[in-house]
Structure formats: structure tokens, C-alpha cells
């Protein structure tokens, strides 16, 4: 059965990439119009719709989604979403299902160019791009987005493992970025998120894409930042996230 599934994944992957390519190419232009003509809200809506379409593209592969939100999401408060990182496919479900949080990203600078739609959103949608080789400059960018989400009561996603896990096994959290966020956004909340099975979508690299993957997200209850000492909070978040990872 595994061999048959691998064979079938080739034609379905071709179909997937056709729909994926059409989606990101079309929304490159749509985002430009929305941002430059109608402003932030229209651009944000276009990004939401794009990510809904990306989920539909994954449905072509038989991908299923479970997105569990435990407890109520914070209202009118800055939110730091902390998640394990398994593949690029961690992200579209978060953007779509948590769209009310206006999620932004702390992303490596290389993604700011060369990827239709995705790069445009990273450059113009309120996110920041960091150079991992320049930690002081990266910290400045994290302070910048901290002030942004505090001012506008929006959310930011950070993957403290740094690089994605190619097997699903969790990696130790890097604390510098989290400590900066917690220091700057003490009035906000943390949403720990556990992602499972996303790594399976890239177990063969970018081609072929496996069929029948069940991608799971678990949004744990929000935690008030000011109620914990920063390092204690990091340990608590890491324990919550990693104990729910299946690998």
C-alpha cells in the first residue's frame, strides 16, 4: 500500500503544483491591488483568502485538517503565537483559522524575495525579516514588531526551534527572540500551538507530495505574559507544546 501511495503521489503532486502555482501567481497581483489601492484591510482579506485556497490545494492530495482551539482566544490584546515548526505547511491553517488575530511573522530575510504572494505579504503585511547572522539587528526587528502588535492589538507567530524538524521530533527552543517579545509585550498573551504531521508533507522534499496526510494543529489555552517570569514562561510553553507532539 505504501508503494502504491508513493506512485499515486506523482500525478497528484503535479496537479497540486498546477493549482498552487495559479493561486500564488494570481494573488501576487491581487495583493498588490488590494494593498496599493484599498489599503491594509483589503490586503489582509486577500491574504486570508489566499491561505484558504492553499488549504484547498492541499485537499487535492487528500490532505485533511484538524484545528483544535482550546479555550477562548484573547480579545483586543497583543498575542504571541509560539509553535513547533515542521514544514512550510504549518502556516496556512494558522493564518486561515486564526485570521481574527491578524497574524504577522518573524521570518528569515531570504523569504522576503522570490516566492510569489508569500514574499509580498512578508514585505508589506506587517511582518519583519531577520538575518540570523546579525543577532543584534534581528533583535531590533523583533522589538519593532513587538511595538506593532502592541499598538494594533494583533498577533505574531514565532517558531523558537529556529529551523523546521524534518522528522517531527521537537528541537530545543532558542530563547533570545522569545525573551525580547516577552519583555516588550508584557500586557499580551501567549498562545502555545502544537503542530503534528506537517513534516510528512515534505518527507520527500518538494516532490512528490505525499497523499492522505492528516495535518493537525492544537491551540492550547492562552497564557498571560505578565503572570510569569520570562524563563519560567518559556519552559512552560515548551513543555506544553512538546508533550503533545507525536513522532
Amino acid at each position: 500500500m505504501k508503494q502504491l501511495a508513493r506512485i499515486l503521489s506523482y500525478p497528484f503532486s503535479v496537479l497540486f503544483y498546477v493549482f498552487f502555482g495559479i493561486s500564488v501567481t494570481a494573488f501576487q497581483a491581487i495583493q498588490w491591488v488590494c494593498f496599493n489601492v484599498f489599503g491594509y484591510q483589503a490586503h489582509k482579506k486577500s491574504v486570508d483568502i489566499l491561505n484558504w485556497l492553499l488549504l484547498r490545494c492541499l485537499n487535492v492530495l487528500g490532505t485533511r485538517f484538524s484545528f483544535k482551539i482550546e479555550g477562548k482566544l484573547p480579545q483586543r490584546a497583543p498575542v504571541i503565537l509560539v509553535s513547533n515548526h515542521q514544514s512550510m505547511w504549518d502556516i496556512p491553517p494558522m493564518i486561515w483559522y486564526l485570521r481574527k488575530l491578524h497574524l504577522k511573522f518573524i521570518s528569515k530575510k531570504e523569504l522576503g524575495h522570490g516566492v510569489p504572494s508569500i514574499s509580498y505579504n512578508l514585505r508589506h503585511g506587517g511582518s519583519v525579516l531577520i538575518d540570523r547572522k546579525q543577532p543584534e539587528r534581528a533583535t531590533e526587528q523583533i522589538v519593532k514588531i513587538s511595538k506593532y502588535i502592541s499598538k494594533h492589538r494583533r498577533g505574531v507567530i514565532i517558531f523558537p526551534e529556529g529551523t523546521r524538524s524534518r522528522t517531527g521530533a521537537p528541537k530545543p527552543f532558542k530563547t533570545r527572540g522569545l525573551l525580547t517579545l516577552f519583555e516588550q509585550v508584557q500586557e499580551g498573551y501567549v498562545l502555545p500551538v502544537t503542530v503534528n504531521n506537517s513534516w510528512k508533507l515534505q518527507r520527500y522534499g518538494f516532490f512528490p507530495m505525499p497523499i492522505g496526510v492528516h495535518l493537525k494543529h492544537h491551540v492550547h489555552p492562552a497564557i498571560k505574559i505578565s503572570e510569569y517570569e520570562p524563563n519560567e514562561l518559556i519552559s512552560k510553553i515548551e513543555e506544553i507544546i512538546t508533550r503533545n507532539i507525536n513522532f
Side-chain angles (χ1 to χ4, degrees), residues 130-148:
I130 63 172
D131 185 348
R132 294 172 180 170
K133 296 179 182 178
Q134 299 184 35
E136 291 185 2
R137 176 60 178 159
T139 299
E140 291 175 2
Q141 291 299 301
I142 295 173
V143 170
K144 175 183 175 181
I145 201 166
S146 298
K147 293 179 179 178
Y148 174 90

Side-chain angles (χ1 to χ4, degrees), residues 54-68:
L54 295 182
L55 299 184
R56 304 294 72 80
C57 290
L58 287 171
N59 287 152
V60 171
L61 299 165
T63 306
R64 294 174 293 141
F65 304 97
S66 294
F67 202 95
K68 178 182 179 181

Side-chain angles (χ1 to χ4, degrees), residues 1 9 40 42 48 53 79-80 95 118 133 140 167 213 240:
M1 288 297 292
S9 69
Y40 173 82
D48 292 344
L53 283 174
V79 175
I80 300 168
I95 295 178
I118 283 78
K133 296 179 182 178
E140 291 175 2
T167 63
V213 173
I240 290 171

